[in-house]
Amino acid sequence: MERSDAEKSQVGTVGLPRRGTRMRGRVALVSGGGGGSDADFLGTGAATALLFAEQGAVVGVLDRDESRAGRTCELVRERGGRAVPLTADVTDEAAVERAVAHLVAEAGRLDVLVNNTGVTGGAIDAPDLRDWDRVMAVNLRGCAVTSRAALPHLRAAGGAAIVNVSSVAAIRAFGSGAYGASKAGVIALTRDLAYAWGRHGIRVNCIVPGHLHTPIGNHGGAEGRDLRRRASLLATEGSAWDVAWAALFLGGPESAWITAAALPVDAGSTAATALGLLPLM
Ligand SMILES: NC(=O)c1ccc[n+]([C@@H]2O[C@H](COP(=O)([O-])OP(=O)(O)OC[C@H]3O[C@@H](n4cnc5c(N)ncnc54)[C@H](O)[C@@H]3O)[C@@H](O)[C@H]2O)c1
């Protein structure tokens, strides 16, 4: 499908579909699902929440920032969907447990957890390791905390799924410090939870996104956007919607026989060597 220039510059790829029913009767929790003021330029969590709602799910939008969680819920409601805002820091076990319990009380069940929360930073050569600890705590421990809180409800639902969001920084170095290490941990945790919880009817998979055009990935202005486009095998730039569509697939019934997978969503950039990419750029 040919995209308009406005679509290419704003969302970079196919955005919301027409309303569907693939997730009807299901309840999904998206962590780090908060959205900002620009409804046409969303983070991956907000786009995922919108897409799940558009396909009939009730979505719990968890974020440490109350106004960001509320903003995504407003967007869902404006389009006729149902969303429950949840304020919690994913490093705070008690707060996450309260948030999950609130969603289940409101919506009756929990079928899908998307562990999307992520923060950058954690340079190894900083004067101390405080930032390193913060990044590991949010990105890796937060994923474990939220999965543990969701476990009893996912077990009860039957045929449930967890979708974790890692990063190409987990498998390719670019000086990201604790960020890359934490995201590599997310891939390992994905496999371990798939092993531990498969017999409980819970599939656990992981998305490995490349450098996307999202609010936190929007570095380098027009030049940065052009570089991201050229550093892919498809010569296109990815957006939050590319992750959202992968999350919908991995969280939905069409992927019923897929677990413990790490799916690159990077237009093939990590499949090529640096020397292979150079002539394409
Ligand atoms: N943007 C990219 O290029 C890119 C590439 C690879 C992977 N990712 C991953 O995708 C995910 C989302 O990225 P994004 O660009 O949409 O980010 P974003 O900043 O737009 O969204 C992240 C959300 O998480 C929330 N958050 C931060 N810390 C939190 C905490 N401790 N508890 C609860 N909520 C918290 C923020 O308030 C924000 O709303 C992250 O896991 C990121 O690492 C992004």
Side-chain angles (χ1 to χ4, degrees):
M1 187 179 74
E2 189 51 40
R3 288 175 277 134
S4 69
D5 284 348
E7 278 177 319
K8 281 177 191 160
S9 67
Q10 290 198 327
V11 298
T13 188
V14 181
L16 282 169
R18 270 198 285 266
R19 208 162 295 273
T21 57
R22 291 163 70 191
M23 301 300 285
R24 188 192 279 163
R26 295 186 171 239
V27 179
L29 170 57
V30 182
S31 88
S37 52
D38 187 350
D40 292 321
F41 188 41
L42 301 170
T44 57
T48 300
L50 272 161
L51 193 51
F52 272 72
E54 204 68 13
Q55 292 294 318
V58 177
V59 284
V61 178
L62 185 147
D63 206 283
R64 71 174 169 193
D65 183 326
E66 186 178 2
S67 66
R68 288 179 65 84
R71 179 70 192 123
T72 300
C73 291
E74 266 170 38
L75 288 174
V76 168
R77 289 183 200 124
E78 277 166 18
R79 298 184 60 88
R82 196 169 152 215
V84 180
L86 305 162
T87 310
D89 188 310
V90 292
T91 62
D92 181 340
E93 284 167 72
V96 171
E97 271 171 27
R98 277 195 302 273
V100 170
H102 179 65
L103 175 62
V104 172
E106 289 283 313
R109 54 190 289 136
L110 180 61
D111 302 274
V112 182
L113 167 64
V114 182
N115 278 312
N116 165 81
T117 302
V119 290
T120 54
I124 189 73
D125 49 6
D128 61 54
L129 288 177
R130 269 180 297 187
D131 197 44
W132 173 280
D133 291 341
R134 174 190 68 92
V135 172
M136 293 301 280
V138 174
N139 293 2
L140 182 53
R141 192 171 181 282
C143 186
V145 164
T146 316
S147 301
R148 278 167 56 90
L151 174 64
H153 307 290
L154 295 173
R155 262 182 97 153
I162 296 177
V163 182
N164 294 326
V165 179
S166 177
S167 166
V168 286
I171 53 175
R172 294 287 184 276
F174 66 101
S176 68
Y179 181 72
S182 67
K183 292 295 186 176
V186 168
I187 296 178
L189 181 62
T190 297
R191 296 202 178 105
D192 214 56
L193 293 184
Y195 177 89
W197 295 351
R199 293 294 202 266
H200 301 321
I202 303 171
R203 299 181 299 107
V204 189
N205 292 293
C206 180
I207 297 169
V208 187
H211 302 286
L212 304 166
H213 183 52
T214 67
I216 65 159
N218 191 18
H219 306 298
E223 199 184 330
R225 297 199 61 185
D226 192 48
L227 267 179
R228 286 195 290 276
R229 182 182 64 73
R230 286 188 287 138
S232 83
L233 301 190
L234 299 175
T236 53
E237 187 187 32
S239 80
W241 296 107
D242 295 300
V243 170
W245 280 105
L248 182 69
F249 171 65
L250 291 174
E254 290 87 354
S255 60
W257 215 51
I258 301 177
T259 196
L263 175 68
V265 177
D266 65 352
S269 58
T270 54
T273 65
L275 282 184
L277 268 180
L278 267 178
L280 300 181
M281 295 184 72

